[in-house]
């Protein structure tokens, strides 16, 4: 088989893949970063390995999509489009692959149809293979992405999300494949997305065999995680039963919750007479030799729990959510409660909420609900806005059964049937006025944005603006290696830093001196490659040793709400302010939307009144008890 390279049509790709009795490999570097390093692997590291990965001969490199687009701008200060441009320069042949959440794109909730299509068109200029899924396996939620990928002439790879339980039968999945083909036609790849690393090798082998029996010409791509240490077994079973593409990653960076080491996959399958077509093993080894020196700098982002977790077969939390869940547990002070949450409450919640697929955004809904149930003591006593939307069918119909009536009553009160009748069903999201959003972005930035900037902004508005302003002020920071970008403890005045960037260019940075101005701000001087630069740092708002503001209790916050003083019920970011000062509101109206752990929760008023004061704006971070909105309650 000739090497499959970027630019090939889907027909050429299918012809090549159908001609072999062996298999090809997708290097899921993006999934590895998300699952085992909280999405923190820097572009600098990927650029260091680009030439070796290009020589390795992979079917594709998954390098964008999922949560990485958001984390690129939020934590790594790199433009997701620039990343693809720079990697393409070093990797002219390898197909780039993305993971797209259907109607949720690269975010966490549904977007308007015109935003979906606009986003796919821009990313399709760089991305060759589009793996598209929906956490409810609801085909209409993926249809617009399907259409735009095929219109762009790119390779479409719809997913069937896999899980275990009495409902998750071969017959169900084979029928779901048929539903996909009715929409897409035959010219696709099909992904079995086993994002949690669930089931046994035999179970995966049986599923592949069932699909191939019904659709013999189907090219199947198996994707799994190695959380329980058994994914090489599942990969082997998938290949022996007819799969053609499998996912794995560079062994020097593999961990517990992401894909397994691809060199081990190659060595295992050789014993079964199966060859990884086109793979240069020396280049595979070379890549990991480069990565091994990089890994110590990412130690902070590896999971607090070490070792494989066969208990994933109980809680079903996907690899991409494992590391972040432990991080949230550490920050929230409930790491000691994790066994209870994972092994008792999470599987209980999963069954109660319909046994759908635990993957974004569904995994966040299950996870935050389980945490809330355990930490607050009252099960379903504080339903998030996203859980309510799930119960209302906003994400699509429940595939097997609806939750029990008592859960609806907990979420919506005694009149829940009326709420379900009036508000239930998938919401038709109106198209966004993209030209108006372009004007808004231009006003916020002070210059005309590019189409790529607009795409990023439409998905993550506040974080995108913060990133664009950061880049305008400080420049492009991807040249910094992780030893500097991720350095803990900061830098000292007088320190001299020398480093070589990913292109082999030498750099010198000298830190300091600093000078305090009359207004209290501080000038920090940097000598960067023998050019002096000055950065103004704002004065600290509170003096050292200032008393820490006491947090309010849940009861105190609830009491204040009854008199129109709406406070933040938990630590979150303000993602939407719905009302204006002077506006009349009725009981039950939404005033503010808060976002925490990727989930949105509305703050509503308990009584009618008039908005007297709004104390927050979009993008603000709030803590429990912080003021949000003050109402004058109607008599």
């Amino acid at each position: 088989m000739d090497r499959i390279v970027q630019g090939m049509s889907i027909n050429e790709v299918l012809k090549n893949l159908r001609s072999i009795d062996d298999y090809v490999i997708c290097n899921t570097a993006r999934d590895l970063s998300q699952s085992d390093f909280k999405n923190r692997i820097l572009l600098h590291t990927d650029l260091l390995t680009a030439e070796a990965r290009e020589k390795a001969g992979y079917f594709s490199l998954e390098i964008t999509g999922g949560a990485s687009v958001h984390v690129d701008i939020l934590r790594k200060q790199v433009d997701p489009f620039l990343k693809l441009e720079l990697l393409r320069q070093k990797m002219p042949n390898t197909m780039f692959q993305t993971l797209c959440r259907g109607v949720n794109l690269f975010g966490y909730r549904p977007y308007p149809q015109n935003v979906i299509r606009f986003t796919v068109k821009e990313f399709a200029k760089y991305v060759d293979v589009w793996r598209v899924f929906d956490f409810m396996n609801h085909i209409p939620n993926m249809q617009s992405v399907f259409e735009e990928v095929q219109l762009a002439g790119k390779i479409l790879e719809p997913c069937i999300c896999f899980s275990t339980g009495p409902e998750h039968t071969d017959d169900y999945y084979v029928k779901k494949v048929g539903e996909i083909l009715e929409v897409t036609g035959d010219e696709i790849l099909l992904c079995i997305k086993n994002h949690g690393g669930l089931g046994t090798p035999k179970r995966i082998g049986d599923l592949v065999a069932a699909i191939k029996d019904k659709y013999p010409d189907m090219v199947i791509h198996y994707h799994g995680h190695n959380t329980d240490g058994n994914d090489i077994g599942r990969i082997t079973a998938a290949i022996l039963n007819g799969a053609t593409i499998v996912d794995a990653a560079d062994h020097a960076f593999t961990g517990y919750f992401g894909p397994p080491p691809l060199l081990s996959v190659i060595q295992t399958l050789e014993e079964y007479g199966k060859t990884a077509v086109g793979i240069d093993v020396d280049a595979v080894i070379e890549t990991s030799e480069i990565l091994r020196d990089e890994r110590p700098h990412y130690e902070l982002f590896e999971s607090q729990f070490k070792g494989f977790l066969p208990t994933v077969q109980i809680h079903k939390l996907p690899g991409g959510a494992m590391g972040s869940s432990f991080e949230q547990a550490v920050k929230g002070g409930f790491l000691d409660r994790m066994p209870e949450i994972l092994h008792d409450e999470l599987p209980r919640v999963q069954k109660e909420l319909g046994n759908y697929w635990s993957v974004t955004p569904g995994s966040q809904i299950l996870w935050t609900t389980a945490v809330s149930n355990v930490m607050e003591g009252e099960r379903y006593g504080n339903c998030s806005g996203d859980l309510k939307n799930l119960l209302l069918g906003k994400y699509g119909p429940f595939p097997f059964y609806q939750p029990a009536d008592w859960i609806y009553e907990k979420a919506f009160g005694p009149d829940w049937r009326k709420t379900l009748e009036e508000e239930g069903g998938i919401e038709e999201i109106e198209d966004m006025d993209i030209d108006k959003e372009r004007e808004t972005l231009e006003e916020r930035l002070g210059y005309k944005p590019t189409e790529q900037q607009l795409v990023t902004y439409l998905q993550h508005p506040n974080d995108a603006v913060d990133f664009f302003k950061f880049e305008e002020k400080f420049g492009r920071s991807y040249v910094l290696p992780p030893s500097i970008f991720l350095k803990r403890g900061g830098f000292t005045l007088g320190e001299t830093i020398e480093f070589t960037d990913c292109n082999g260019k030498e750099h010198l940075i000298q830190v300091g001196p600093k000078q305090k101005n009359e207004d209290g701000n501080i000038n920090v001087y940097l000598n960067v490659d023998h050019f002096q630069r000055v950065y103004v740092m704002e004065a600290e708002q509170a003096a050292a040793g200032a008393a820490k503001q006491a947090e309010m209790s849940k009861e105190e916050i609830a009491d204040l709400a009854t008199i129109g003083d709406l406070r933040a019920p938990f630590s979150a970011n303000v993602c939407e302010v719905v009302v204006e000062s002077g506006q009349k509101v009725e009981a039950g109206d939404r005033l503010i939307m808060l976002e925490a752990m990727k989930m949105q929760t509305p703050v509503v008023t308990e009584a009618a009144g008039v908005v007297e004061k709004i104390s927050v704006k979009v993008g603000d971070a709030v803590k429990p008890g912080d003021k949000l909105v003050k109402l004058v309650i109607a008599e």
Side-chain angles (χ1 to χ4, degrees):
M1 182 188 83
D2 295 333
R3 180 176 179 181
I4 294 172
V5 296
Q6 72 100 8
M8 279 187 172
S9 69
I10 180 63
N11 287 325
E12 291 177 286
V13 171
L14 289 173
K15 181 181 178 181
N16 274 278
L17 293 176
R18 287 169 178 159
S19 71
I20 63 173
D21 190 37
D22 290 297
Y23 69 100
V24 294
I25 294 176
C26 165
N27 185 326
T28 48
R30 192 274 327 159
D31 195 24
L32 175 76
S33 175
Q34 180 165 331
S35 298
D36 287 312
F37 297 93
K38 302 182 178 69
N39 247 321
R40 294 311 207 284
I41 305 302
L42 300 178
L43 173 58
H44 187 282
T45 297
D46 287 324
L47 287 170
L48 281 179
T49 63
E51 292 180 3
R53 282 175 172 165
E54 170 76 354
K55 289 187 297 182
Y58 299 117
F59 165 74
S60 61
L61 174 71
E62 188 188 85
I63 197 62
T64 189
S68 73
V69 173
H70 186 207
V71 181
D72 278 348
I73 61 173
L74 182 66
R75 302 291 183 219
K76 298 188 284 188
Q77 280 70 53
V78 65
D79 188 317
F81 288 99
L82 176 66
K83 175 172 76 174
L84 294 171
E85 289 178 12
L86 295 174
L87 286 169
R88 176 57 71 210
Q89 292 172 15
K90 291 178 177 286
M91 305 183 72
N93 294 313
T94 303
M95 293 200 298
F96 289 164
Q97 182 169 312
T98 189
L99 176 70
C100 180
R101 299 162 175 162
V103 71
N104 302 303
L105 287 174
F106 306 122
Y108 314 106
R109 52 198 49 86
Y111 291 96
Q113 287 291 304
N114 63 337
V115 171
I116 294 171
R117 295 180 184 278
F118 180 37
T119 300
V120 174
K121 285 178 182 177
E122 285 300 313
F123 271 95
K125 296 174 182 178
Y126 305 92
V127 176
D128 307 286
V129 183
W130 286 74
R131 176 181 289 165
V132 186
F133 77 93
D134 177 70
F135 81 100
M136 298 292 270
N137 271 338
H138 187 52
I139 309 304
N141 283 347
M142 300 183 278
Q143 188 163 343
S144 55
V145 178
F146 289 171
E147 292 171 356
E148 289 301 324
V149 170
Q150 291 182 317
L151 282 172
K154 300 300 181 178
I155 297 163
L156 177 62
E157 185 177 289
C159 296
I160 49 171
C161 293
F162 176 79
S163 188
T164 52
E167 301 85 6
H168 298 269
T169 64
D170 288 347
D171 287 343
Y172 169 81
Y173 288 116
V174 171
K175 182 181 178 182
K176 188 60 62 174
V177 173
E179 292 176 16
I180 290 172
L181 292 174
E182 288 177 4
V183 174
T184 65
D186 298 332
E187 296 177 348
I188 63 166
L189 308 177
L190 176 75
C191 178
I192 297 174
K193 182 173 171 54
N194 189 7
H195 40 273
L198 302 177
T200 62
K202 181 181 184 303
R203 177 70 192 90
I204 295 300
D206 288 347
L207 176 56
V208 172
I211 296 171
K212 292 291 286 187
D213 183 60
K214 177 71 173 179
Y215 303 102
D217 291 333
M218 180 68 70
V219 175
I220 295 176
H221 186 162
Y222 172 76
H223 163 79
H225 282 191
N226 203 34
T227 305
D228 64 348
N230 202 21
D231 208 51
I232 292 179
R234 289 184 285 265
I235 286 172
T236 302
I239 293 295
L240 295 181
N241 282 278
T244 308
I245 316 168
V246 294
D247 283 0
D250 299 291
H251 55 269
F253 261 33
T254 47
Y256 307 109
F257 309 132
L262 62 91
L263 190 56
S264 297
V265 171
I266 294 168
Q267 293 166 344
T268 299
L269 284 164
E270 281 178 350
E271 293 296 305
Y272 290 91
K274 296 291 184 179
T275 300
V277 177
I279 291 293
D280 182 335
V281 171
D282 289 338
V284 171
I285 296 171
E286 179 186 351
T287 304
S288 275
E289 292 302 317
I290 295 169
L291 288 172
R292 184 163 286 109
D293 292 337
E294 298 285 294
R295 184 161 185 164
H297 305 303
Y298 295 103
E299 180 184 7
L300 180 65
F301 305 109
E302 296 198 52
S303 173
Q304 289 82 1
F305 275 30
K306 306 300 182 185
F308 294 109
L309 290 182
T311 52
V312 70
Q313 304 299 333
I314 300 171
H315 60 71
K316 302 181 182 180
L317 199 63
M322 289 300 302
S324 61
S325 67
F326 289 127
E327 183 178 37
Q328 291 161 10
V330 170
K331 291 180 178 178
F334 58 90
L335 188 62
D336 61 318
R337 306 292 297 274
M338 283 293 280
E340 178 185 357
I341 293 169
L342 289 176
H343 304 153
D344 297 329
E345 186 60 22
L346 191 53
R348 188 179 175 188
V349 165
Q350 177 131 23
K351 290 180 181 178
E352 290 172 344
L353 294 183
N355 200 21
Y356 65 81
W357 296 268
S358 182
V359 63
T360 306
S363 53
Q364 279 85 1
I365 296 173
L366 293 170
W367 162 251
T368 53
T369 301
V371 171
S372 176
N373 287 354
V374 168
M375 299 305 296
E376 297 188 12
E378 182 185 358
R379 303 188 74 245
Y380 300 100
N382 184 25
C383 293
S384 69
D386 291 286
L387 174 55
K388 290 180 180 179
N389 284 336
L390 175 78
L391 295 170
L392 290 170
K394 300 298 184 186
Y395 293 105
F398 285 95
F400 305 118
Y401 57 87
Q402 282 195 223
D405 291 355
W406 70 269
I407 295 178
Y408 279 91
E409 187 169 357
K410 279 277 192 177
F412 302 109
D415 294 329
W416 65 268
R417 284 187 175 86
K418 181 180 178 182
T419 301
L420 186 60
E421 182 180 346
E422 294 177 349
E423 301 180 24
I426 293 179
E427 185 177 3
E428 290 292 331
I429 304 175
E430 292 185 5
D431 277 356
M432 187 176 287
D433 188 336
I434 292 180
D435 289 335
K436 184 177 180 181
E437 293 300 317
R438 185 183 286 108
E439 292 174 1
T440 300
L441 179 57
E442 183 173 355
E443 290 175 5
R444 294 182 69 176
L445 295 179
Y447 59 85
K448 188 174 182 179
T450 66
E451 294 297 273
Q452 294 174 358
Q453 286 179 314
L454 180 59
V455 164
T456 306
Y457 169 78
L458 290 173
Q459 291 177 87
H460 306 289
N462 297 305
D463 293 332
V465 170
D466 289 344
F467 163 70
F468 298 143
K469 290 183 176 180
F470 172 92
E471 192 173 66
E472 183 182 15
K473 182 176 182 179
F474 297 107
R476 292 174 169 172
S477 59
Y478 73 86
V479 297
L480 294 173
S483 59
I484 295 175
F485 190 92
L486 302 175
K487 182 181 177 183
R488 283 175 271 176
F491 301 92
T492 58
L493 291 177
E495 184 175 359
T496 298
I497 304 162
E498 298 180 68
F499 69 94
T500 303
D501 67 22
C502 51
N503 295 313
K505 184 178 179 181
E506 300 283 343
H507 295 278
L508 172 73
I509 300 176
Q510 293 175 313
V511 183
K514 69 177 182 179
Q515 180 184 29
K516 190 170 184 178
N517 299 331
E518 293 181 358
D519 57 7
N521 291 338
I522 296 174
N523 290 343
V524 177
Y525 295 83
L526 291 180
N527 185 333
V528 181
D529 291 342
H530 307 293
F531 290 92
Q532 190 176 74
R533 302 184 184 188
V534 182
Y535 295 99
V536 179
M537 304 298 173
E538 292 184 4
E540 295 183 2
Q541 297 300 310
K548 183 179 179 181
Q549 181 180 354
E551 291 185 357
M552 290 185 176
S553 68
K554 182 178 177 180
E555 292 74 20
E556 290 172 325
I557 293 171
D559 288 343
L560 287 172
T562 62
I563 60 172
D565 188 356
L566 283 298
R567 304 293 184 106
F570 48 77
S571 295
N573 291 318
V574 178
C575 62
E576 186 180 7
V577 177
V578 183
V579 293
E580 298 177 349
S581 183
Q583 180 177 334
K584 292 182 179 180
V585 295
E586 300 296 329
D589 282 356
R590 186 178 67 182
L591 309 179
I592 300 283
M593 185 69 80
L594 300 178
E595 184 173 43
M597 295 193 291
K598 303 177 185 176
M599 295 289 100
Q600 292 188 349
T601 301
V603 176
V604 300
T605 175
E606 297 182 15
V610 176
V611 177
E612 181 180 58
K613 182 179 181 182
I614 300 171
S615 300
V616 293
K617 63 182 183 300
V618 172
D620 283 353
V622 294
K623 295 180 294 186
D626 283 354
K627 294 181 179 180
L628 299 177
V629 177
K630 184 72 170 67
L631 303 177
V632 176
I633 300 297
E635 296 296 333

Short mmCIF file of all heavy atoms in Angstrom, two decimals, residues 155-179:
data_model
loop_
_atom_site.label_atom_id
_atom_site.label_comp_id
_atom_site.label_asym_id
_atom_site.label_seq_id
_atom_site.Cartn_x
_atom_site.Cartn_y
_atom_site.Cartn_z
N ILE A 155 -12.01 13.89 5.20
CA ILE A 155 -12.33 12.51 5.54
C ILE A 155 -13.20 12.49 6.78
O ILE A 155 -12.78 12.94 7.85
CB ILE A 155 -11.04 11.69 5.75
CG1 ILE A 155 -10.27 11.65 4.44
CG2 ILE A 155 -11.37 10.27 6.23
CD1 ILE A 155 -8.83 11.24 4.60
N LEU A 156 -14.40 11.98 6.63
CA LEU A 156 -15.37 11.96 7.72
C LEU A 156 -15.30 10.63 8.46
O LEU A 156 -15.35 9.57 7.85
CB LEU A 156 -16.78 12.18 7.17
CG LEU A 156 -17.93 12.11 8.19
CD1 LEU A 156 -17.77 13.20 9.25
CD2 LEU A 156 -19.28 12.24 7.49
N GLU A 157 -15.22 10.73 9.80
CA GLU A 157 -15.16 9.54 10.64
C GLU A 157 -16.20 9.66 11.76
O GLU A 157 -15.88 10.07 12.87
CB GLU A 157 -13.76 9.35 11.22
CG GLU A 157 -13.60 8.06 12.01
CD GLU A 157 -12.20 7.84 12.52
OE1 GLU A 157 -11.31 7.56 11.69
OE2 GLU A 157 -11.96 7.98 13.74
N PRO A 158 -17.46 9.33 11.47
CA PRO A 158 -18.47 9.34 12.54
C PRO A 158 -18.15 8.27 13.59
O PRO A 158 -17.53 7.26 13.29
CB PRO A 158 -19.77 9.02 11.80
CG PRO A 158 -19.48 9.23 10.36
CD PRO A 158 -18.03 8.94 10.18
N CYS A 159 -18.62 8.52 14.81
CA CYS A 159 -18.37 7.60 15.92
C CYS A 159 -19.66 6.96 16.40
O CYS A 159 -20.72 7.58 16.38
CB CYS A 159 -17.77 8.35 17.11
SG CYS A 159 -16.16 9.07 16.81
N ILE A 160 -19.52 5.72 16.86
CA ILE A 160 -20.51 5.16 17.77
C ILE A 160 -19.81 5.10 19.13
O ILE A 160 -18.78 4.47 19.29
CB ILE A 160 -21.01 3.78 17.33
CG1 ILE A 160 -19.86 2.83 16.99
CG2 ILE A 160 -21.96 3.91 16.16
CD1 ILE A 160 -20.30 1.39 16.75
N CYS A 161 -20.35 5.83 20.10
CA CYS A 161 -19.77 5.84 21.44
C CYS A 161 -20.11 4.53 22.13
O CYS A 161 -21.27 4.10 22.14
CB CYS A 161 -20.28 7.03 22.24
SG CYS A 161 -19.73 8.62 21.61
N PHE A 162 -19.12 3.90 22.73
CA PHE A 162 -19.27 2.56 23.31
C PHE A 162 -19.36 2.64 24.84
O PHE A 162 -18.69 3.43 25.49
CB PHE A 162 -18.07 1.69 22.93
CG PHE A 162 -18.10 0.32 23.57
CD1 PHE A 162 -18.90 -0.68 23.05
CD2 PHE A 162 -17.33 0.04 24.69
CE1 PHE A 162 -18.94 -1.94 23.64
CE2 PHE A 162 -17.36 -1.21 25.28
CZ PHE A 162 -18.17 -2.20 24.76
N SER A 163 -20.22 1.80 25.39
CA SER A 163 -20.28 1.62 26.82
C SER A 163 -20.73 0.19 27.11
O SER A 163 -20.88 -0.62 26.18
CB SER A 163 -21.22 2.63 27.48
OG SER A 163 -21.12 2.57 28.89
N THR A 164 -20.92 -0.13 28.36
CA THR A 164 -21.32 -1.47 28.76
C THR A 164 -22.61 -1.42 29.57
O THR A 164 -22.98 -0.38 30.10
CB THR A 164 -20.22 -2.14 29.59
OG1 THR A 164 -19.86 -1.27 30.68
CG2 THR A 164 -18.99 -2.41 28.76
N GLY A 165 -23.27 -2.54 29.66
CA GLY A 165 -24.54 -2.64 30.35
C GLY A 165 -25.53 -3.39 29.51
O GLY A 165 -25.29 -3.66 28.32
N PRO A 166 -26.66 -3.76 30.07
CA PRO A 166 -27.63 -4.59 29.35
C PRO A 166 -28.17 -3.96 28.08
O PRO A 166 -28.57 -4.66 27.15
CB PRO A 166 -28.74 -4.82 30.38
CG PRO A 166 -28.58 -3.73 31.39
CD PRO A 166 -27.12 -3.46 31.45
N GLU A 167 -28.20 -2.63 28.01
CA GLU A 167 -28.74 -1.96 26.83
C GLU A 167 -27.75 -1.87 25.67
O GLU A 167 -28.14 -1.70 24.52
CB GLU A 167 -29.21 -0.53 27.18
CG GLU A 167 -30.27 -0.46 28.27
CD GLU A 167 -29.68 -0.46 29.67
OE1 GLU A 167 -28.43 -0.40 29.79
OE2 GLU A 167 -30.45 -0.54 30.63
N HIS A 168 -26.46 -1.98 25.98
CA HIS A 168 -25.41 -1.70 24.99
C HIS A 168 -25.03 -2.97 24.23
O HIS A 168 -23.94 -3.52 24.38
CB HIS A 168 -24.20 -1.08 25.69
CG HIS A 168 -24.50 0.23 26.35
ND1 HIS A 168 -24.36 1.43 25.70
CD2 HIS A 168 -24.98 0.52 27.59
CE1 HIS A 168 -24.73 2.42 26.51
NE2 HIS A 168 -25.11 1.89 27.66
N THR A 169 -25.93 -3.40 23.38
CA THR A 169 -25.78 -4.66 22.67
C THR A 169 -25.18 -4.45 21.28
O THR A 169 -25.19 -3.33 20.74
CB THR A 169 -27.14 -5.34 22.52
OG1 THR A 169 -27.99 -4.51 21.70
CG2 THR A 169 -27.80 -5.56 23.88
N ASP A 170 -24.71 -5.55 20.67
CA ASP A 170 -24.24 -5.48 19.29
C ASP A 170 -25.36 -5.02 18.36
O ASP A 170 -25.13 -4.23 17.45
CB ASP A 170 -23.73 -6.85 18.84
CG ASP A 170 -22.40 -7.23 19.48
OD1 ASP A 170 -21.76 -6.33 20.07
OD2 ASP A 170 -22.01 -8.41 19.38
N ASP A 171 -26.57 -5.52 18.60
CA ASP A 171 -27.70 -5.14 17.75
C ASP A 171 -27.94 -3.63 17.81
O ASP A 171 -28.23 -3.00 16.78
CB ASP A 171 -28.97 -5.88 18.20
CG ASP A 171 -28.95 -7.36 17.83
OD1 ASP A 171 -28.12 -7.74 16.97
OD2 ASP A 171 -29.75 -8.11 18.41
N TYR A 172 -27.84 -3.06 19.01
CA TYR A 172 -28.04 -1.62 19.13
C TYR A 172 -27.00 -0.87 18.28
O TYR A 172 -27.35 0.04 17.51
CB TYR A 172 -27.92 -1.16 20.59
CG TYR A 172 -27.86 0.35 20.70
CD1 TYR A 172 -29.02 1.11 20.65
CD2 TYR A 172 -26.64 1.01 20.77
CE1 TYR A 172 -28.96 2.50 20.69
CE2 TYR A 172 -26.57 2.39 20.81
CZ TYR A 172 -27.73 3.13 20.77
OH TYR A 172 -27.68 4.50 20.79
N TYR A 173 -25.73 -1.25 18.42
CA TYR A 173 -24.67 -0.52 17.72
C TYR A 173 -24.72 -0.73 16.21
O TYR A 173 -24.48 0.20 15.43
CB TYR A 173 -23.30 -0.90 18.29
CG TYR A 173 -23.06 -0.33 19.67
CD1 TYR A 173 -22.91 -1.15 20.77
CD2 TYR A 173 -23.01 1.04 19.86
CE1 TYR A 173 -22.70 -0.62 22.04
CE2 TYR A 173 -22.80 1.59 21.13
CZ TYR A 173 -22.66 0.74 22.21
OH TYR A 173 -22.46 1.27 23.47
N VAL A 174 -25.03 -1.94 15.77
CA VAL A 174 -25.15 -2.18 14.33
C VAL A 174 -26.29 -1.34 13.74
O VAL A 174 -26.16 -0.77 12.65
CB VAL A 174 -25.37 -3.69 14.06
CG1 VAL A 174 -25.71 -3.91 12.58
CG2 VAL A 174 -24.12 -4.49 14.43
N LYS A 175 -27.39 -1.25 14.48
CA LYS A 175 -28.50 -0.41 14.03
C LYS A 175 -28.07 1.05 13.96
O LYS A 175 -28.44 1.79 13.03
CB LYS A 175 -29.68 -0.57 14.97
CG LYS A 175 -30.90 0.25 14.57
CD LYS A 175 -32.04 0.06 15.57
CE LYS A 175 -33.25 0.92 15.18
NZ LYS A 175 -34.36 0.80 16.16
N LYS A 176 -27.28 1.50 14.93
CA LYS A 176 -26.81 2.90 14.96
C LYS A 176 -25.90 3.18 13.76
O LYS A 176 -25.96 4.27 13.17
CB LYS A 176 -26.09 3.17 16.27
CG LYS A 176 -25.72 4.63 16.50
CD LYS A 176 -26.91 5.55 16.53
CE LYS A 176 -27.89 5.27 17.64
NZ LYS A 176 -28.96 6.29 17.69
N VAL A 177 -25.07 2.19 13.37
CA VAL A 177 -24.23 2.36 12.18
C VAL A 177 -25.11 2.57 10.95
O VAL A 177 -24.83 3.43 10.10
CB VAL A 177 -23.30 1.14 11.98
CG1 VAL A 177 -22.57 1.23 10.64
CG2 VAL A 177 -22.30 1.04 13.12
N GLY A 178 -26.20 1.81 10.86
CA GLY A 178 -27.12 1.98 9.75
C GLY A 178 -27.72 3.37 9.71
O GLY A 178 -27.87 3.96 8.63
N GLU A 179 -28.05 3.93 10.87
CA GLU A 179 -28.60 5.28 10.93
C GLU A 179 -27.57 6.31 10.45
O GLU A 179 -27.93 7.30 9.78
CB GLU A 179 -29.02 5.61 12.36
CG GLU A 179 -30.22 4.80 12.85
CD GLU A 179 -30.53 5.09 14.31
OE1 GLU A 179 -30.04 6.11 14.84
OE2 GLU A 179 -31.26 4.30 14.93
#
